[in-house]
Amino acid sequence: MLPAGWAVTVFSQFMKSLYSMEDGNGPQSFSFLKHELPVRICNIMKEINLLPEKLLQMPSARTVKGWYQQTLEDLLEFEDSDDKCINLNTKFTEQLITIRNRHSNVVETMAQAVLEMRESYEYDQHEENNIQYFLNRFYISRISIRMLINQHTLLFGSAPKTHPRHIGSIDPNTDVVSVVADAYDSAKFLCDQYYLASPDVEIKTINSKDDSNNIHIVYVPSHLYHILFELFKNSMRAVMEHKGPSATDFPKIKVLITKGQQDLTIRMSDEGGGIPRTQIDQLFNYMYTTAPTHLNLVSLPFHLWLYAKYFHGDLTLTSMEGYGTDALIYLKVLSSEANELLPIYNHAVNRHYRANLTVSDWSSPMGGFRSLSLNSSRHF
Amino acid sequence: MLPAGWAVTVFSQFMKSLYSMEDGNGPQSFSFLKHELPVRICNIMKEINLLPEKLLQMPSARTVKGWYQQTLEDLLEFEDSDDKCINLNTKFTEQLITIRNRHSNVVETMAQAVLEMRESYEYDQHEENNIQYFLNRFYISRISIRMLINQHTLLFGSAPKTHPRHIGSIDPNTDVVSVVADAYDSAKFLCDQYYLASPDVEIKTINSKDDSNNIHIVYVPSHLYHILFELFKNSMRAVMEHKGPSATDFPKIKVLITKGQQDLTIRMSDEGGGIPRTQIDQLFNYMYTTAPTHLNLVSLPFHLWLYAKYFHGDLTLTSMEGYGTDALIYLKVLSSEANELLPIYNHAVNRHYRANLTVSDWSSPMGGFRSLSLNSSRHF
């Protein structure tokens, strides 16, 4: 009934063929999405069902599962519809907006489900590994689904266009420095409100790829802004807390943006006192970062990392305890390399959920091992 | 016959009880080592036998295996010996020196075996994973065995003592700044010879743990020197090559050393042009770094990382392509946390060698994933 595989969409597709109006009839993206969205939703629903029963029966987990079921039903109504029909496309677009709104709080609700489980049950390392493995995949799947929906609704919906250059949410000429400056300004506004002061920023660029001074790439500015805004907030908070309420002078947050042949790299360096190495590992572990005590400060990198990963970028944090923290965002210079990263549902996935590799083969507890792996939280 | 478990040795043991002369009779370390060394050697020999047959049958692999067999036989001669006998201890100490010399070239010879296999056979991802998994464990096992042997032979052998403060190879008051400066000087000497110039160094320290200016820890200075010397050579080469032969002015290599409650962190920053993110992943993959074309430049981090890991430290590299590279060495401030990290041979190990998790559950080849995991090279 549903197509077996799914399509990995590259920027050029997002920008061109998928979203062109063909012959004045319905857009190609309608015919693409009416198949692709149910495929992505079915695949991640299969993985939801592989989660530990003690998580699945939590009220918030049932809520999330219900949203996905409803969305699948909504989408399947369009399965055999005539994708040349403009009226149907309008109806489809409205349906996508309903779906997007329905799923707005999926991340928070799933985090709530994990908290509910933690309060109700003991859980072992194997279950924790499976949940971490799932959440990485679930959240990237969600980012991808929202990306598809946003492209369609921005291009064919009735909302006014935000920017003449943008193609949906994509800016083919994203001015990275200006996104950094915008994110700094927004974070500074919040910081000034709360602390009545804020650290300055220093932005430098080095373009070693070509002679131009401008550092532009094809990207989704809202994704990059989201990552940078959260990192700025974290750095500002670290600086203000580290220096204390009586300080009047604060070390700058330094941003260096470099463009090479492959990587566009953004490094944000603060002198906010840093954190111990063992805590860096925990920042990427969902089970730690959903703990209530950590919720405000350190739940960030986990989600931001997935946004960077989605277009084959990366986010790393290195810290020097007693001094400060560097966050590095890696983006692909070539948009042809920045295609979607998607979880694939196959027999390897089943094996991952079954495999119980929690016996340590080293002399120490594995908590100290870095594992910035999308596939698990196993610190091995 | 042999004790089933093995002992994880902490610094305080290395320094005190193990190596004290008890009642004027043979040292406690004799009775400890005559059991402990065969245990460690037997354990790693069991893992050698789990390697792919196409590697084991290479001439260099046979050589390495032969050395371990001979060493085991040599050690077992002391199994039932009277450890109170000073003459026997002298004989044991001489035997340990013979063993250490026999194993001097284990790393190079095992690397040669991998090269021989690469030239003779095709190998699949599963075999590559197993070899990487093995080599991490094998080399840390070797570092640990040499540490035990060195402590004994330095304290009870006839070689003159190098430093009155040192206990064997351990300096209970290692002056980190001075080790950094020594390593820089040695690397600068080589760099000046080859390039007729070299970048300057700038060393800064921040002690946020206490008011003292000195940054001292319990450590093995020779290990730290080894790591730093190789990193300095790499950074200097990067700077000199990046600036080119006509340059007369070179950006400094900047070293920042910070001491917090848990971590002593050494960051070495160069402006040597950096490398793409995808290559950073490969630096820690033995199968890449033993390739002849890479042998000079990038085989370093893999080994250095294991030296840092051995006492529960770490080594990370971050790079900005087109700009430069940061290397961060993490050491434990508290010597009580810096006990040995040792591979454990148990059923989880067997399962690791059997498990074939090479089917990707993501939409992209896994080459782009960081996996700084001691347990495998799987980029998953």
Side-chain angles (χ1 to χ4, degrees), chain B residues 141-207:
Chain B
S141 161
R142 179 175 181 273
I143 291 170
S144 83
I145 290 167
R146 290 180 90 75
M147 178 76 195
L148 293 180
I149 289 178
N150 279 337
Q151 284 306 93
H152 190 91
T153 56
L154 285 170
L155 289 169
F156 304 110
S158 52
K161 302 286 173 278
T162 52
H163 195 294
R165 191 175 61 207
H166 291 195
I167 299 163
S169 59
I170 296 168
D171 183 348
N173 204 26
T174 304
D175 179 351
V176 174
V177 173
S178 127
V179 178
V180 170
D182 286 352
Y184 170 79
D185 288 341
S186 305
K188 176 182 162 57
F189 179 78
L190 293 183
C191 186
D192 284 336
Q193 280 195 316
Y194 191 82
Y195 292 104
L196 307 176
S198 54
D200 288 336
V201 71
E202 169 192 294
I203 304 175
K204 287 187 180 171
T205 61
I206 295 174
N207 186 343

Side-chain angles (χ1 to χ4, degrees), chain A residues 25-233:
Chain A
N25 298 318
Q28 199 183 335
S29 89
F30 179 20
S31 68
F32 172 68
L33 291 184
K34 75 178 188 176
H35 287 293
E36 181 66 13
L37 287 175
V39 169
R40 295 195 187 193
I41 284 167
C42 279
N43 273 274
I44 205 65
M45 285 176 77
K46 283 184 203 150
E47 290 202 41
I48 291 179
N49 289 325
L50 296 173
L51 282 171
E53 188 54 40
K54 57 183 79 159
L55 178 60
L56 283 181
Q57 63 184 247
M58 290 298 110
S60 297
R62 287 168 185 270
T63 302
V64 170
K65 209 174 149 180
W67 288 335
Y68 275 80
Q69 270 158 350
Q70 182 61 52
T71 291
L72 182 61
E73 284 169 31
D74 291 349
L75 288 168
L76 288 180
E77 281 185 21
F78 292 89
E79 196 192 2
D80 299 319
S81 61
D82 174 10
D83 47 33
K84 302 285 183 207
C85 169
I86 293 211
N87 284 345
L88 265 179
N89 181 46
T90 304
K91 204 179 146 204
F92 183 69
T93 305
E94 284 162 6
Q95 182 60 266
L96 292 187
I97 291 169
T98 304
I99 290 170
R100 186 179 56 203
N101 293 340
R102 176 185 298 143
H103 288 253
S104 289
N105 296 317
V106 160
V107 171
E108 295 80 356
T109 313
M110 194 48 105
Q112 181 61 32
V114 174
L115 286 179
E116 287 163 5
M117 185 196 77
R118 290 160 61 101
E119 283 163 16
S120 310
Y121 292 102
E122 299 286 305
Y123 54 90
D124 62 23
Q125 187 65 43
H126 178 53
E127 288 162 326
E128 183 179 323
N129 292 346
N130 276 348
I131 291 169
Q132 178 81 24
Y133 174 81
F134 167 78
L135 289 176
N136 282 333
R137 299 165 64 81
F138 182 59
Y139 290 154
I140 284 203
S141 161
R142 178 174 181 274
I143 292 170
S144 83
I145 290 167
R146 290 179 90 75
M147 177 78 194
L148 293 181
I149 289 177
N150 280 336
Q151 284 306 94
H152 189 90
T153 56
L154 285 170
L155 289 169
F156 304 110
S158 53
K161 302 285 174 277
T162 51
H163 195 293
R165 190 175 63 209
H166 290 195
I167 299 164
S169 59
I170 297 169
D171 183 347
N173 204 27
T174 305
D175 180 349
V176 174
V177 173
S178 126
V179 178
V180 170
D182 286 350
Y184 170 78
D185 287 342
S186 305
K188 177 184 161 57
F189 179 78
L190 293 183
C191 187
D192 284 336
Q193 280 196 314
Y194 192 83
Y195 293 104
L196 307 176
S198 55
D200 287 338
V201 70
E202 170 193 292
I203 303 175
K204 287 187 179 172
T205 60
I206 294 173
N207 186 344
S208 74
K209 187 173 192 288
D210 46 57
D211 287 336
S212 76
N213 277 326
N214 289 337
I215 305 234
H216 289 174
I217 53 168
V218 182
Y219 209 73
V220 181
S222 60
H223 287 189
L224 183 57
Y225 174 89
H226 176 56
I227 298 171
L228 287 162
F229 175 58
E230 297 297 333
L231 291 176
F232 269 123
K233 281 196 297 182

